[in-house]
Amino acid sequence: MKREIQKIAVTITATIIAFWLLDFGIGKFFDTMISHMPPDGERVAKSYFALHRVNADMLIIGSSRAETAYDSRILMDSLPGLSVYNCGGDAQEFYYCNTLINCILDRYTPQVIVWDFKERQLGIPPKENLSLIYPYYWTNSYIRQVLDRHEGSSFKYIMQLNTYRYNATAGRILRSVFASQTAAQSSTLGFGGRPVNRRITLTPKDFKITDGELDPDIVREFKATVRRIKHAGSKLFIVISPMYDEYNQDNFYTRETSQLCQELGITFIDDSHLEGFTHNKEYAFDNYHININGAEVFTRHFASQLKEYLGK
């Protein structure tokens, strides 16, 4: 009986050690692989580049709406002397964008930050998926603080497992690294233009917002980040870009965002109802994103707006 118990104990111990070694190896492997991704394309690669390497004069921050609406090369051609990188990330919301800005400011101070807002950006959101920044939990103190607050007190114990830390990003990292080795890379400076589909069928989903509620935590974080940006000397522009669907322009969230920006002394540009975009399939990729033709028209318009504010 004693010998059987010893065998079980040895087996359990060996299993634990084997799992620990495997988990340790997985962490080291992906910690190395993630730093070898190209700067464009895959969202994990873009996120790593934005957090650790981007050094452009002008940065575009936001979700996939930002990624698809602002053509970096057109902005550079229109604003000579400014380098531009589009940090927009698919499916990324307020806390990711806010974290990205603060981590970038820890490294350097861009001249201009354009933060593309959704209509309800400062409203009470569904729980945000922040798995894109899980890999940096142990190497970036700001990210660690954000995730501890956002995910709960037990999260730091779960992050001891490298298999969990890379659970949502491992496949994307491998695809990005191996794709970069087998295909010629053409940099788009982060711009993710969506193709034109002339056969697209869209049903307008117009929204009438009469009231709403701001998230006090998001508003507090936003104010703190704005103050830090201004203290660093960067110019911040909060922009709502156009799309196919229509919101009533003078709605609760637009008014509150405009008022808050005015109080904080930053520029708010509401291009959500820019002429020629609402219900225009020629410029639409879907109900919420414009296509590459729409991006060209919008970016040129936005560049002219920036010229006025920047005095160029």
Side-chain angles (χ1 to χ4, degrees):
M1 183 66 177
K2 184 177 181 180
R3 184 173 297 178
E4 291 298 322
I5 293 175
Q6 289 176 337
K7 286 182 179 180
I8 293 173
V10 169
T11 300
I12 293 174
T13 302
T15 301
I16 293 173
I17 292 174
F19 177 79
W20 182 85
L21 289 173
L22 176 64
D23 186 73
F24 178 81
I26 288 173
K28 288 297 182 182
F29 174 78
F30 282 107
D31 284 344
T32 301
M33 287 295 100
I34 203 169
S35 64
H36 287 79
M37 294 184 296
D40 280 338
E42 163 55 50
R43 74 177 72 170
V44 181
K46 278 189 68 178
S47 181
Y48 178 88
F49 182 80
L51 284 166
H52 299 91
R53 294 177 181 171
V54 72
N55 60 358
D57 301 319
M58 179 190 296
L59 299 180
I60 310 298
I61 306 294
S63 66
S64 55
R65 283 176 42 77
E67 183 180 44
T68 59
Y70 303 82
D71 189 320
S72 304
R73 294 196 180 280
I74 292 177
L75 286 172
M76 289 174 63
D77 291 341
S78 302
L79 301 165
L82 286 180
S83 57
V84 180
Y85 188 81
N86 188 325
C87 301
D90 188 23
Q92 304 313 304
E93 303 293 344
F94 174 84
Y95 283 108
Y96 171 82
C97 296
N98 192 63
T99 300
L100 180 60
I101 291 172
N102 279 277
C103 289
I104 289 171
L105 289 174
D106 283 342
R107 292 194 298 107
Y108 85 107
T109 303
Q111 294 180 38
V112 179
I113 297 174
V114 176
W115 192 345
D116 186 86
F117 260 36
K118 296 180 179 179
E119 290 280 351
R120 295 181 172 91
Q121 192 77 68
L122 300 179
I124 298 176
K127 185 173 175 59
E128 186 174 342
N129 183 349
L130 292 173
S131 59
L132 202 57
I133 57 175
Y134 284 5
Y136 320 112
Y137 183 84
W138 295 112
T139 57
N140 187 302
S141 60
Y142 187 90
I143 287 177
R144 186 161 59 250
Q145 292 172 14
V146 169
L147 290 175
D148 283 346
R149 289 197 307 269
H150 191 268
E151 304 289 356
S153 58
S154 62
F155 188 72
K156 59 184 175 182
Y157 302 110
I158 301 175
M159 280 288 100
Q160 301 287 341
L161 294 174
N162 292 310
T163 45
Y164 187 86
R165 187 162 58 95
Y166 280 106
N167 178 51
T169 54
R172 293 179 178 275
I173 293 170
L174 292 175
R175 286 195 299 272
S176 180
V177 171
F178 290 120
S180 69
Q181 294 175 352
T182 58
Q185 295 298 306
S186 177
S187 177
T188 60
L189 300 175
F191 170 58
R194 299 299 196 261
V196 175
N197 180 3
R198 302 199 181 280
R199 297 181 179 180
I200 190 171
T201 301
L202 293 174
T203 302
K205 301 176 182 178
D206 296 343
F207 301 92
K208 301 298 181 184
I209 305 173
T210 56
D211 56 14
E213 183 179 358
L214 300 185
D215 186 306
D217 293 331
I218 286 180
V219 171
R220 183 179 64 253
E221 294 283 342
F222 177 65
K223 287 181 176 179
T225 297
V226 169
R227 293 189 186 101
R228 184 179 182 190
I229 291 171
K230 293 181 67 176
H231 181 75
S234 294
K235 289 185 171 67
L236 173 64
F237 296 88
I238 303 299
V239 185
I240 302 179
S241 53
M243 63 179 180
Y244 180 81
D245 283 344
E246 182 178 13
Y247 286 83
N248 49 317
Q249 190 166 15
D250 184 26
N251 64 65
F252 171 83
Y253 293 104
T254 303
R255 290 196 303 271
E256 290 294 322
T257 301
S258 177
Q259 182 178 336
L260 184 57
C261 288
Q262 187 174 3
E263 291 174 1
L264 294 170
I266 58 175
T267 302
F268 173 61
I269 301 175
D270 182 5
D271 280 337
S272 61
H273 289 67
L274 188 62
E275 184 177 357
F277 282 84
T278 302
H279 299 169
N280 183 359
K281 292 191 292 184
E282 292 297 314
Y283 292 158
F285 174 73
D286 57 25
N287 290 72
Y288 309 105
H289 304 86
I290 57 179
N291 62 30
I292 196 167
N293 288 348
E296 179 179 356
V297 173
F298 169 65
T299 303
R300 294 191 187 283
H301 170 81
F302 179 65
S304 67
Q305 291 176 307
L306 278 185
K307 283 182 180 179
E308 295 183 17
Y309 288 110
L310 298 175
K312 288 185 174 288

